[in-house]
């Protein structure tokens, strides 16, 4: 659309939706009018894509994920339809700040972190590459809680992201699906076949809401289909007539609780009944929908030629028994035929290797909520055992690890390994660990099933949208091809030698830092120096991610500066952001610790502003878009072997931050991409960590006793230095470092890695003092980031696992 038609459309929407003209409209109404205008630009392509997909001509991917962390829609969609300049001009001419409209939109926080963000990125890249796909998930009415920091503590507030009309979704009432829970199963034999009679169940309706997924300059618009739970009975008239109004709507409240709130746990399942219901709810609705659409287009035995069902971590793993159920109970197939189809159609990605993060469900709970699905899983389990026996596996330790049902629990990862034709890790290192350790027994039997696909990011959002200054600078240097093909960023390599380019590059960074400094001061009242090094750690708060290690090093730097305030270090601003799961006590205590240190340091005038610590509340995609363009050091310091990939690391390098990290997850590949000189690596390797763990850990007390600096820092946790009002406050963190817990001391190897961590920080300080060298490294990071585009990940998924054809080909 040209400028004038956009203006016309905005006026039209204001008039016919709100009976107002531009001068009268509120920000909300202006936002709506702009959003509807952008939406109108998408609709035709969307309708067309839907029609072609309905025809059944193309093999279609269904990407099942319990989270999709899309970020705000409006600005990103404008970037993707390549209209950003025009919209900015329109805003200018109408005197409406573009940023004000952007700010107005609520971010759909319907994901916890990496897994959810990846799912959204993949949908976008699938579209960009013209590959037909549905994203399938839950339309949570409340997303991840909003985080407030009060007196240094995290306080959670409900995130009512749907409070305004959501113009980006379309309710599809005509595709409503019934999902059944509870009850009991009567098995009878009829004509030599097992007949399943499902009785006394209760039904919940699933209503799909479709959101268009816009790719960059793409021919198609894919669909994100989120299911909302709806009760069959809105009101029970018996109770109502008797005057019991609470009882009258009880059923509705209970039924609709299924899609009410996103569980805030990340990497830490807690086996709740409602969570199990959420999983079955969206999986069953999706699979029923797939089968219904498939019938009439092709015979169901050919399902795997036409459909791929991708299981994003184990949360949608019930897709396997649900597909079996429908093929057998509703379509009349026998077990072998159904199993053959299912195992050729489903594929699984693992996102986490930590034992406690692998989902398991108690059998009793499971049987009660999903009796028929339980029977099917039991049968899969029994057949697996038979097969293992037949194959002569009599190593009981091995069988014990591989079975799906054991110790009164159902192990979802094992179900996926049995029931899927493909399993992949999300970085090279992660896949190696899956093959060698976590799933080594499966790997021995099904080596052909294993793939490695490194994660990626929507680099356009993180450059063109979040960092327009850098984006323009890149375009000036190498043209616009990089917007289509991320590998073109390699063209920046030669500019790293060009001092004029380096100057412009550092000017962009300075500008972004000034903007962030202003945001920090507006939000927190803390003044940070834009000339200081912006050192950021932004991610979920988790022990394995080791924000604690970062904090100990800050304390150490603080101590050094107090000893000698004129010590020659470049001023540093440490920026943290991230949420802790509400029930995760220690993670919440770490937030308090960061804030206590911030308080102490920021108020200490002896430091001459050489050190500042900031915790920005309510980390989400929108906040990430503000922090990342201003970052110079990217802290990726998880205990090696524990971060499956990481994707924040990729966004930060793309924006010219240097990684300071362990050889973990995708950091290993970042190092390959930028070269050893352009990354700061420290700490134990994954093999070393694994070895220590095998032999009961290491002696952290010895490190504490033998290093006076370490001792001082660790003691400061408990001597009132940080919490004069209550010196016991951080005692449990102190104990964690020095005393055994669950058979191991300092499980995350914090003190073990401390020495090399502080050493690498001093190297950072030295190198920042040499701007030519520093900016060269930063530019080489941008140049090397192209391989981490989610377009690239999707190409790899497609060639190795999905085998979809481009629409239009
Ligand atoms: C409640 C149980 C549970 C278990 C695991 C909830 C959520 C999870 C996710 C798998 C956690 C997660 O987001 N994992 C991250 O996935 C990213 C995308 O692959 C990786 O980059 C991160 O390393 C990994 O931690």
């Amino acid at each position: 659309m040209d400028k004038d038609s956009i203006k016309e459309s905005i006026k039209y929407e204001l008039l016919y939706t709100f009976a107002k003209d531009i001068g009268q409209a509120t920000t909300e109404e202006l936002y709506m009018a702009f959003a509807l205008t952008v939406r109108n630009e998408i609709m035709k392509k969307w309708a067309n894509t839907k029609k072609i997909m309905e025809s059944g001509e193309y093999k279609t991917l269904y990407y099942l994920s319990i989270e999709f962390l899309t970020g705000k829609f409006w600005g990103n969609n404008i970037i993707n339809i390549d209209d950003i300049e025009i919209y900015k001009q329109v805003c200018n001419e109408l005197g409406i700040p573009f940023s004000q409209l952007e700010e107005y939109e609520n971010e759909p926080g319907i994901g916890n972190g990496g897994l959810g963000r990846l799912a959204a990125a993949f949908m976008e890249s699938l579209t960009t590459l013209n590959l037909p796909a549905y994203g399938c998930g839950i339309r949570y009415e409340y997303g991840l809680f909003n985080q407030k920091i009060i007196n240094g503590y995290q306080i959670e507030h409900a995130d009512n992201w749907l409070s305004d009309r959501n113009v980006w979704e379309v309710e599809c009432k005509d595709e409503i699906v019934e999902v059944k829970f509870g009850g009991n199963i009567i098995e009878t034999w009829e004509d030599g076949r097992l007949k399943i009679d499902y009785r006394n169940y209760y039904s919940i309706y699933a209503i799909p809401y479709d959101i268009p997924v816009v790719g960059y300059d793409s021919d198609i618009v894919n669909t994100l289909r989120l299911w909302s739970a709806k009760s069959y009975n809105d009101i029970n008239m018996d109770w109502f007539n008797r005057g019991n109004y609470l009882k009258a709507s009880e059923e509705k409240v209970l039924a609709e609780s299924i899609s009410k709130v996103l569980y805030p746990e990340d990497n830490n399942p807690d086996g709740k009944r409602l969570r199990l219901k959420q999983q079955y709810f969206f999986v069953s609705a999706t699979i029923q929908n797939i089968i219904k659409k498939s019938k009439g287009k092709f015979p169901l035995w050919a399902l795997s030629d036409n459909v791929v069902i991708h299981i994003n971590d184990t949360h949608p793993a019930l897709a396997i028994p649900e597909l079996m159920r429908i093929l057998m109970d509703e379509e009349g197939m026998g077990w072998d035929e159904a199993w053959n189809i299912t195992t050729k159609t489903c594929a699984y990605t693992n996102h986490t290797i930590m034992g406690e993060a692998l989902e398991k469900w108690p059998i009793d709970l499971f049987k009660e909520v999903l009796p028929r699905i339980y029977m099917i899983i039991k049968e899969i389990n029994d057949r697996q055992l038979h097969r293992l026996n037949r194959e002569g596996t009599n190593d009981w330790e091995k069988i014990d690890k591989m079975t799906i049902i054991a110790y009164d629990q159902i192990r979802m990862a094992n179900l996926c390994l049995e029931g899927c034709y493909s399993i992949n890790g999300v970085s090279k290192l992660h896949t190696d660990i899956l093959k060698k350790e976590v799933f080594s027994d499966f790997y021995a039997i099904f080596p052909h099933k294993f793939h490695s696909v490194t994660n990626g990011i929507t680099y356009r959002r993180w450059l063109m949208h979040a960092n327009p200054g850098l984006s323009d600078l890149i375009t000036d240097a190498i043209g616009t091809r990089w917007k289509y093909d991320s590998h073109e960023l390699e063209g920046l390599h030669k500019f790293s030698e060009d001092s004029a380019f380096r100057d412009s590059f550092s000017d962009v960074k300075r500008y972004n830092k000034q903007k962030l400094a202003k945001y920090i001061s507006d939000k927190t009242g803390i003044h940070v120096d834009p000339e200081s090094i912006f050192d950021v750690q932004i991610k979920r708060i988790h022990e394995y991610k080791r924000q604690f290690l970062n904090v100990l090093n800050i304390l150490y730097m603080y101590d050094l500066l107090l000893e000698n305030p004129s010590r020659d270090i470049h001023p540093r601003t440490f920026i943290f952001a991230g949420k802790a799961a509400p029930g995760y006590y220690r993670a919440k205590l770490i937030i308090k610790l960061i804030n206590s240190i911030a308080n102490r340091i920021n108020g200490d005038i002896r430091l001459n502003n050489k050190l500042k610590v900031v915790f920005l509340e309510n980390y989400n995609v929108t906040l990430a878009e503000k922090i990342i363009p201003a970052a110079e050091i990217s802290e990726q310091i998880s205990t090696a072997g524990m971060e499956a990939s990481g994707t924040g690391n990729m966004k930060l390098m793309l924006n010219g931050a240097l990684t300071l990290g362990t050889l973990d997850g995708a950091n290993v590949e970042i190092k390959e991409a930028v070269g050893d000189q352009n990354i700061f690596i420290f700490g134990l390797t994954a093999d070393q960590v694994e070895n220590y763990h095998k032999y009961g850990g290491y002696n952290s007390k010895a490190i504490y006793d033998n290093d006076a600096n370490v001792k001082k820092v660790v003691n400061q946790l408990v001597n009132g230095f940080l919490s004069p009002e209550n010196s016991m406050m951080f005692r449990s963190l102190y104990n964690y470092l020095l005393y055994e817990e669950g058979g191991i001391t300092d499980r995350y190897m914090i003190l073990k890695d401390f020495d090399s961590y502080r050493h690498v920080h001093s190297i950072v300080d030295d190198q920042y003092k040499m701007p030519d060298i520093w900016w060269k490294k930063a530019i080489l990071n941008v140049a090397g980031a192209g391989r981490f585009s989610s377009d690239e990940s999707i190409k790899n998924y497609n060639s190795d696992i999905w085998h979809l054809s481009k629409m239009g080909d």
Side-chain angles (χ1 to χ4, degrees):
M1 278 208 316
D2 60 31
K3 226 165 41 182
D4 289 332
S5 15
I6 291 176
K7 279 187 193 164
E8 275 318 302
S9 161
I10 286 160
K11 287 182 191 155
Y12 179 95
E13 296 295 348
L14 282 175
L15 182 63
Y16 291 100
T17 322
F18 302 108
K20 284 195 177 169
D21 62 29
I22 290 187
Q24 297 169 294
T26 63
T27 305
E28 174 178 0
E29 290 156 354
L30 287 171
Y31 165 76
M32 290 288 173
F34 271 87
L36 287 167
T37 301
V38 172
R39 197 182 77 166
N40 290 343
E41 289 200 53
I42 296 163
M43 284 309 220
K44 223 189 224 153
K45 231 184 234 176
W46 195 19
N48 198 31
T49 308
K50 281 190 173 198
K51 203 189 277 159
I52 301 175
M53 277 165 79
E54 292 301 308
S55 76
E57 193 184 326
Y58 290 94
K59 182 176 184 184
T60 302
L61 167 70
Y62 291 83
Y63 193 88
L64 274 59
S65 178
I66 202 157
E67 306 182 359
F68 285 91
L69 195 50
T70 60
K72 293 185 182 186
F73 294 113
W74 184 63
N76 194 57
N77 285 347
I78 295 181
I79 295 269
N80 279 344
I81 57 176
D82 228 350
D83 269 355
I84 186 77
E85 291 313 321
I86 304 191
Y87 272 88
K88 286 199 164 154
Q89 279 173 27
V90 169
C91 281
N92 259 337
E93 289 172 22
L94 298 177
I96 305 161
F98 185 88
S99 60
Q100 185 186 331
L101 297 176
E102 274 200 308
E103 283 295 322
Y104 183 79
E105 184 177 331
N106 283 334
E107 176 179 329
I110 53 178
N112 274 287
L115 164 117
R117 182 60 213 146
L118 188 77
F122 280 3
M123 285 311 299
E124 203 174 310
S125 285
L126 280 156
T127 313
T128 299
L129 296 170
N130 291 325
L131 297 171
Y134 282 94
C136 308
I138 299 177
R139 180 181 179 267
Y140 300 102
E141 228 176 293
Y142 292 83
L144 184 61
F145 63 86
N146 282 317
Q147 178 196 54
K148 286 253 163 236
I149 301 297
I150 310 276
N151 191 22
Y153 290 103
Q154 165 176 300
I155 306 292
E156 300 94 25
H157 291 278
D159 166 48
N160 188 5
W161 72 284
L162 286 168
S163 57
D164 299 327
R165 182 182 153 203
N166 179 8
V167 301
W168 302 105
E169 65 182 9
V170 176
E171 184 181 356
C172 303
K173 278 207 178 107
D174 55 323
E175 293 191 71
I176 199 162
V177 174
E178 181 183 3
V179 181
K180 298 174 182 172
F181 293 92
N184 52 293
I185 307 293
I186 311 286
E187 294 174 89
T188 48
W189 285 90
E190 243 174 50
D191 306 329
R193 293 182 53 101
L194 181 64
K195 196 170 161 292
I196 296 295
D197 189 4
Y198 189 10
R199 296 190 186 160
N200 305 319
Y201 57 81
Y202 57 95
S203 294
I204 289 171
Y205 289 98
I207 306 182
Y209 285 74
D210 285 0
I211 298 175
V213 182
V214 183
Y216 186 65
D217 198 17
S218 143
D219 299 331
I220 69 170
V221 172
N222 275 318
T223 299
L224 175 58
R225 168 158 279 195
L226 302 179
W227 298 93
S228 177
K230 181 103 181 87
S231 159
Y232 180 69
N233 272 325
D234 258 9
I235 193 110
N236 180 317
M237 284 316 283
D238 281 350
W239 285 114
F240 183 85
N241 292 335
R242 282 190 259 164
N244 193 334
Y245 308 121
L246 270 183
K247 264 267 180 248
S249 46
E250 187 183 83
E251 188 182 326
K252 176 180 162 71
V253 171
L254 280 176
E256 295 178 5
S257 66
I258 288 194
S259 56
K260 200 51 101 186
V261 209
L262 167 77
Y263 269 89
E265 267 76 41
D266 187 83
N267 264 312
N268 183 24
D270 68 358
K272 290 254 171 61
R273 177 185 305 256
L274 183 60
R275 170 94 174 173
L276 178 61
K277 285 191 185 172
Q278 289 187 332
Q279 297 188 351
Y280 184 66
F281 168 75
F282 91 95
V283 164
S284 174
T286 301
I287 306 289
Q288 290 187 60
N289 195 238
I290 293 173
I291 296 297
K292 189 169 161 212
K293 281 193 280 196
S294 302
K295 281 164 78 171
K297 287 188 203 128
F298 49 82
L300 286 178
W301 56 258
L303 189 71
S304 67
D305 298 329
N306 295 278
V307 165
V308 189
I309 296 171
H310 202 91
I311 299 176
N312 194 30
D313 214 71
T314 55
H315 324 131
L318 295 174
I320 298 162
E322 176 66 0
L323 183 55
M324 289 295 289
R325 180 188 73 76
I326 297 176
L327 293 178
M328 294 187 302
D329 299 0
E330 292 177 10
E331 302 301 329
M333 287 184 193
W335 180 277
D336 291 333
E337 191 184 5
W339 184 245
N340 182 34
I341 294 171
T342 302
T343 51
K344 281 198 314 207
T345 307
C346 297
Y348 158 62
T349 298
N350 171 283
H351 294 264
T352 184
I353 51 161
M354 291 194 301
E356 72 269 27
L358 296 175
E359 280 193 304
K360 303 174 186 78
W361 292 105
I363 287 186
D364 289 342
L365 165 72
F366 199 100
K367 265 189 202 158
E368 188 194 318
V369 179
L370 304 168
R372 176 62 183 141
I373 297 298
Y374 175 73
M375 289 168 66
I376 294 171
I377 292 179
K378 177 87 176 58
E379 184 69 27
I380 299 174
N381 180 72
D382 293 351
R383 286 175 185 247
Q384 178 200 37
L385 274 176
H386 276 125
R387 196 195 62 229
L388 290 173
N389 278 332
R390 241 187 1 253
E391 284 162 1
T393 311
N394 44 21
D395 175 345
W396 279 100
E397 206 179 314
K398 203 179 216 175
I399 293 178
D400 191 69
K401 269 169 58 191
M402 292 179 73
T403 53
I404 298 163
I405 303 179
Y407 307 104
D408 293 329
Q409 289 184 314
I410 303 177
R411 305 191 286 201
M412 303 305 272
N414 288 0
L415 175 62
C416 291
L417 285 150
E418 270 308 302
C420 293
Y421 71 90
S422 165
I423 149 160
N424 74 285
V426 291
S427 69
K428 285 185 194 161
L429 177 69
H430 171 56
T431 308
D432 282 347
I433 295 175
L434 292 182
K435 289 181 185 173
K436 279 201 218 118
E437 290 160 35
V438 192
F439 299 137
S440 57
D441 300 313
F442 283 100
Y443 181 58
I445 300 178
F446 305 122
H448 54 281
K449 286 195 186 184
F450 283 69
H451 300 275
S452 177
V453 186
T454 300
N455 282 167
I457 56 170
T458 49
Y459 72 101
R460 298 174 199 90
R461 175 186 281 269
W462 299 105
L463 272 185
M464 294 159 69
H465 186 245
N467 197 347
L470 183 54
S471 179
D472 290 346
L473 183 67
I474 293 171
T475 302
D476 287 347
I478 61 171
T480 56
R481 282 296 312 157
W482 67 272
K483 298 182 178 180
Y484 296 85
D485 177 1
S486 59
H487 291 285
E488 295 282 325
L489 289 171
E490 278 160 27
L492 291 173
H493 219 272
K494 61 173 186 285
F495 288 90
S496 67
E497 304 289 352
D498 174 338
S499 69
F501 186 83
R502 284 198 301 261
D503 288 347
S504 314
F505 189 96
S506 71
D507 286 347
V508 169
K509 188 60 89 179
R510 182 173 305 109
Y511 173 79
N512 293 336
K513 286 166 73 184
Q514 285 162 349
K515 248 175 89 176
L516 182 61
K518 166 142 185 6
Y519 179 86
I520 290 172
S521 112
D522 290 349
K523 289 280 165 185
T524 66
I526 302 167
H527 293 283
V528 304
D529 177 5
E531 297 302 318
S532 63
I533 305 174
F534 279 21
D535 181 321
V536 314
Q537 189 172 17
I538 46 175
K539 49 183 82 248
R540 287 297 286 242
I541 313 293
H542 211 296
E543 285 165 274
Y544 85 82
K545 295 181 190 278
R546 297 202 295 191
Q547 282 91 355
F548 190 20
L549 174 60
N550 191 341
V551 163
L552 292 181
N553 178 59
I554 296 173
L555 264 180
Y556 169 71
M557 286 175 76
Y558 182 34
D559 290 339
L560 290 185
L561 277 171
L562 287 185
E563 267 168 35
N564 174 13
S566 56
R567 202 183 161 86
D568 177 30
I569 67 153
H570 192 95
R572 189 91 69 108
T573 300
F574 289 95
I575 298 169
F576 293 86
K579 294 175 183 176
Y584 190 170
Y585 172 77
R586 194 167 279 161
K588 292 177 104 170
L589 191 59
I590 288 169
I591 294 181
K592 174 66 179 167
L593 176 65
I594 295 169
N595 284 307
S596 299
I597 287 178
N599 240 335
R600 168 100 213 207
I601 288 182
N602 299 338
D604 193 333
I605 49 167
R606 291 171 294 177
L607 298 179
N608 286 323
N609 289 319
K610 283 199 172 148
L611 223 50
K612 285 278 161 81
V613 181
V614 177
F615 188 99
L616 286 172
E617 67 185 11
N618 206 33
Y619 185 59
N620 58 13
V621 176
T622 311
L623 181 56
E625 289 168 1
K626 294 187 167 70
I627 300 174
I628 290 172
E632 293 171 305
I633 284 291
S634 156
E635 299 266 356
Q636 307 300 337
I637 60 177
S638 49
T639 316
M642 300 200 178
E643 188 71 271
S645 160
T647 44
N649 46 3
M650 301 168 183
K651 296 161 201 166
L652 283 153
M653 79 179 290
L654 175 71
N655 279 272
L658 273 55
T659 304
L660 189 168
T662 46
L663 282 176
D664 199 14
N667 297 352
V668 176
E669 288 154 78
I670 291 180
K671 175 169 168 282
E672 264 172 40
V674 298
D676 296 1
Q677 297 309 305
N678 303 305
I679 188 167
F680 303 101
I681 295 292
F682 76 97
L684 298 176
T685 62
D687 283 342
Q688 289 168 329
V689 171
E690 164 71 10
N691 248 320
Y692 278 114
H693 280 169
K694 233 185 245 158
Y695 300 105
Y698 77 103
N699 185 351
S700 67
K701 194 79 184 347
I703 295 184
Y704 170 85
D705 285 332
N706 295 328
D707 185 324
N709 289 314
V710 171
K711 192 174 223 167
K712 185 165 179 187
V713 164
V714 174
N715 286 345
Q716 281 167 337
L717 295 170
V718 289
N719 64 11
F721 183 73
L722 298 169
S723 51
E725 71 285 7
N726 172 9
S727 62
M728 283 294 118
M729 186 177 291
F730 302 117
R731 181 89 208 181
S732 70
L733 293 174
Y734 171 92
N735 287 348
Y736 161 84
L737 291 174
L738 300 178
Y739 299 103
E740 200 178 295
E741 199 178 81
I744 190 161
T745 307
D746 188 8
R747 175 173 171 209
Y748 297 101
M749 308 301 223
I750 289 183
L751 289 190
K752 187 78 193 160
D753 274 348
F754 184 76
D755 192 46
S756 74
Y757 184 57
R758 69 180 160 185
H759 177 65
V760 86
H761 265 290
S762 73
I763 298 177
V764 166
D765 185 63
D766 292 342
Q767 303 213 342
Y768 199 80
K769 290 172 184 147
M770 299 180 276
D772 278 350
I773 293 182
W774 186 271
W775 296 114
K776 179 176 169 188
K777 289 177 193 292
I779 294 164
L780 290 176
N781 268 267
V782 184
R787 69 157 91 170
F788 301 108
S789 160
S790 47
D791 298 351
E792 210 51 35
S793 314
I794 291 298
K795 284 181 199 159
N796 292 331
Y797 271 99
N798 201 36
S799 62
D800 295 357
I801 300 170
W802 299 331
H803 312 298
L804 312 166
S805 328
K806 283 187 189 259
M807 279 175 97
D809 279 4

